[in-house]
Amino acid sequence: MKTLIKNGTVVNATGVAAADVLIDGETIVAVTAPGSHLLGFNLEQNVDRVIDAHGKYVIPGGIDAHTHMEMPFGGTQASDTFETGTRAAAWGGTTSIVDFVVQYAGENVLDQYAKWHEKAAGNCAIDYGFHQILSDVQDSSLTAMDELVREGVSSFKLFMAYKGVFLSDDGQIVKAMQRSAENGSMMMMHAENGSVIDLLVQQSIARGDTAPYFHGITRPWQAEAEATHRAIMLADLTGAPLYIVHVSAKQAVEHIAAARDRGKNVFGETCPQYLYLSLEEQLGAPGFEGAKWVCSTPLRARAEGHQDHMWQSLRTNDLQMVSTDHCPFCMKGQKELGIGDFSKIPNGIGSVEHRMDLLYQGVVDGQISLSRWVEVCSTTPARMFGMYGKKGVIQPGADADVVIYDPNGHTSISVDTHHMNMDYSAWEGFEIDGHVDTVLSRGRVIIDDNQYHGSKGDGEFIKRGLSQYLI
Ligand SMILES: [Zn+2]
């Protein structure tokens, strides 16, 4: 099957150019000057399918490197399965995810890894890779890290918060980082000071401050900035590369930027919720409404300027990419577990479907350039996590993961029209000046004309290499 995408504007992280894209089977084989000719050969007459992308952007499919499909948490589990979550991602122009294998304290890493393969295999609409969460760092976890790197799982996530669930102490963190420095893998960190947060939560509940708003108050920016700095120092001590997940506080960014200025392999992602949403407007909504936006790290105060700082950090490359931390829970039966006690609200927001649109709106609003949009949503995730060349770029030899994006289209976000398995939208009422028209996953058209043409199991496991982003 040969496909020609003609008359479009190809946007890569390196630049923007009018070009035609020729796909053979699952692979991009040529990016040519417009006019559908290659060495005098008329391409259009020799392909099975022609897609006219006139007036539209042709971009590498989005890569969401931080999702939690069907993740068990707080006695329930994230409401999107690998099937529903990856299909929703496809609707929004994301053609690869990297999800997290969960290992809780006491569990065996490789057993959990095998379980996650069972959950995902045959169910995904798009390609998927895994990071491995390490909750306690047993000796067997260290040998598992080496084995997983060989399996194509080249990144490991640790937590400095959630005592008794995920938390690793500083000694355990150093032990894992030492191994990462040896085997070349990436250390990912949930950087919040857990014991300080646990104390503030207890005090807040005891005072009767139990509404969702206090989720934000009890996870102050100091807890994020302190843990970010500590993680950077521990990485510095061991030589491990470090990637801070879901950065929301501007003071945390300042630590990341300072480490980068010293030439360190320290990186950070932020998420759409930290660019657009706030403590005052969303978490502070009346009654129990704020539960919709309970996630960790929390939404920050707009009055303190965090949101503006996140956009600025994307422009200056103090932060390198945007993932969603997609971890959806319904209000009914899930978020409701925390009525009367915010600490029992499952933590998470669902955004996997909307990341490309929400960041494109940043282009329209003048926050980032067109190429930077592609870079933070696709190219850098591919380079950061060892997929670049196959993913993250429109060039010959790359997988034909291609999105045709219409800058003259429009998208209204609502629970009534989204495809995620959620009974509300954290983005209700957001209007986007653009639209995902057509999505190809390894050469197959899976979204076109507002219809889904794929089927579950189309997505394959991505065996990742080591990060291609290190200094
Ligand atoms: Zn997460």
Side-chain angles (χ1 to χ4, degrees), residues 177-289:
M177 283 180 165
Q178 287 169 335
R179 187 57 68 116
S180 150
E182 282 169 24
N183 67 25
S185 58
M186 181 71 80
M187 268 296 132
M188 306 172 76
M189 189 63 75
H190 179 126
E192 285 187 297
N193 185 320
S195 68
V196 168
I197 289 167
D198 289 347
L199 174 73
L200 297 179
V201 168
Q202 270 175 24
Q203 291 174 338
S204 182
I205 300 288
R207 265 198 316 269
D209 291 335
T210 60
Y213 178 71
F214 294 96
H215 171 79
I217 299 301
T218 55
R219 305 184 87 97
W221 64 261
Q222 290 92 340
E224 183 184 346
E226 183 280 325
T228 301
H229 181 254
R230 183 158 33 107
I232 290 168
M233 288 298 111
L234 300 181
D236 197 50
L237 179 72
T238 56
L242 176 67
Y243 176 95
I244 308 286
V245 298
H246 50 54
V247 177
S248 66
K250 64 180 179 184
Q251 295 85 353
V253 176
E254 283 162 7
H255 287 305
I256 292 168
R260 293 177 57 72
D261 288 348
R262 293 195 302 273
K264 302 299 179 184
N265 280 311
V266 173
F267 314 104
E269 73 177 10
T270 191
C271 310
Q273 53 268 35
Y274 308 123
L275 294 164
Y276 285 103
L277 310 178
S278 74
L279 174 73
E280 302 94 323
E281 296 148 296
Q282 278 77 29
L283 260 182
F288 190 64
E289 185 87 357

Side-chain angles (χ1 to χ4, degrees), residues 66-68 71 100 157 159 190 245-246 296 325-327:
H66 188 156
T67 66
H68 299 282
M71 187 183 89
F100 288 86
K157 183 180 177 193
F159 289 75
H190 179 126
V245 298
H246 50 54
S296 298
D325 195 7
H326 179 76
C327 193

Side-chain angles (χ1 to χ4, degrees), residues 12-146:
N12 273 315
T14 47
V16 182
D20 293 347
V21 178
L22 180 63
I23 296 165
D24 188 359
E26 299 191 344
T27 309
I28 295 171
V29 292
V31 181
T32 73
S36 310
H37 289 268
L38 189 61
L39 302 174
F41 190 72
N42 188 323
L43 295 173
E44 197 165 337
Q45 291 169 359
N46 292 280
V47 298
D48 307 290
R49 176 177 51 197
V50 175
I51 300 172
D52 192 348
H54 179 75
K56 296 172 188 173
Y57 299 130
V58 180
I59 65 170
I63 301 174
D64 192 339
H66 188 156
T67 66
H68 299 282
M69 303 306 173
E70 53 197 276
M71 187 183 89
F73 186 89
T76 183
Q77 74 171 33
S79 57
D80 264 322
T81 61
F82 278 95
E83 182 184 349
T84 64
T86 56
R87 195 169 55 220
W91 274 101
T94 286
T95 52
S96 304
I97 60 165
V98 190
D99 205 270
F100 288 86
V101 176
V102 178
Q103 179 243 349
Y104 289 111
E107 293 175 341
N108 178 276
V109 171
L110 293 178
D111 289 351
Q112 294 303 106
Y113 176 66
K115 264 186 216 163
W116 253 256
H117 266 294
E118 278 171 34
K119 288 174 196 257
N123 288 320
C124 293
I126 55 170
D127 291 348
Y128 61 97
F130 289 129
H131 311 287
Q132 175 73 50
I133 287 173
L134 304 174
S135 288
D136 58 351
V137 184
Q138 312 159 19
D139 288 345
S140 67
S141 310
L142 297 176
T143 49
M145 285 173 73
D146 292 343

Side-chain angles (χ1 to χ4, degrees), residues 76 79 288 329-337 339 422-424:
T76 183
S79 57
F288 190 64
F329 295 97
C330 291
M331 283 296 270
K332 194 168 170 45
Q334 294 197 299
K335 292 280 187 182
E336 281 176 1
L337 295 168
I339 292 175
M422 296 177 72
D423 63 0
Y424 76 97

